[in-house]
Amino acid sequence: MIVNDAIYTSIYHKLLEILPNLSAIEKKAKSVVDGCSQDLYLEIVRREDDQLVIALTQYGEGPNGKIVHDPDMTIAIYPNKGMAEALTYEDHYIYWEVYSQNRTRVDERAKQHQNQYLDLWLSTLIQQGHSI
């Protein structure tokens, strides 16, 4: 499942920095930073023994003036392994899954792109001062 441990470990540690109270959050939470144009929204999708699946979302104005995901990412967190990975990416142009519905196929291009993007996005969120 997880090939390059370095990026998945980096993502995990950045998530811990942004979500220090993750275990106490039951369903949804929000981060608002003064001077930052986009709030950060967290939703707990599901909790399992060996993983936690969350959605992180920011909203922006789309090309037609409507409010859209900018971006919305679903992320699997593996606390026992100290790793996390992107599962889906969505913005106003695209919806992209890493794994097929039954997890029998992996889109390697999506996996690489989404995890690199997630690692960079989390760094930006940290620099902006987001914390939930």
Side-chain angles (χ1 to χ4, degrees):
M1 175 188 1
I2 294 176
V3 180
N4 178 356
D5 292 356
I7 195 161
Y8 304 108
T9 301
S10 174
I11 291 168
Y12 178 78
H13 289 290
K14 289 175 184 179
L15 283 169
L16 290 181
E17 191 169 338
I18 295 167
L19 309 170
N21 301 312
L22 183 59
S23 61
I25 298 169
E26 290 186 32
K27 191 64 180 163
K28 295 182 179 184
K30 177 179 171 181
S31 170
V32 177
V33 176
D34 288 338
C36 184
S37 63
Q38 293 180 310
D39 299 336
L40 178 65
Y41 297 83
L42 165 75
E43 180 177 356
I44 306 297
V45 176
R46 74 175 173 275
R47 292 181 192 269
E48 298 174 3
D49 291 338
D50 61 344
Q51 77 172 332
L52 171 66
V53 178
I54 65 169
L56 282 181
T57 308
Q58 288 187 303
Y59 295 94
E61 189 173 312
N64 58 0
K66 291 176 69 175
I67 302 299
V68 295
H69 299 116
D70 189 29
D72 176 38
M73 295 194 75
T74 306
I75 303 158
I77 302 171
Y78 308 100
N80 296 339
K81 296 179 180 180
M83 297 181 183
E85 66 174 334
L87 300 176
T88 65
Y89 172 91
E90 182 178 7
D91 63 19
H92 51 282
Y93 296 109
I94 189 171
Y95 177 78
W96 204 8
E97 294 180 329
V98 171
Y99 297 99
S100 62
Q101 189 101 26
N102 56 5
R103 291 185 70 101
T104 56
R105 289 190 340 233
V106 179
D107 182 335
E108 293 295 338
R109 184 170 167 257
K111 185 173 184 162
Q112 180 181 5
H113 175 80
Q114 287 185 34
N115 284 295
Q116 288 173 343
Y117 178 84
L118 177 57
D119 194 51
L120 181 63
W121 182 40
L122 294 173
S123 293
T124 300
L125 294 172
I126 290 166
Q127 289 173 352
Q128 292 173 342
H130 282 287
S131 181
I132 297 176

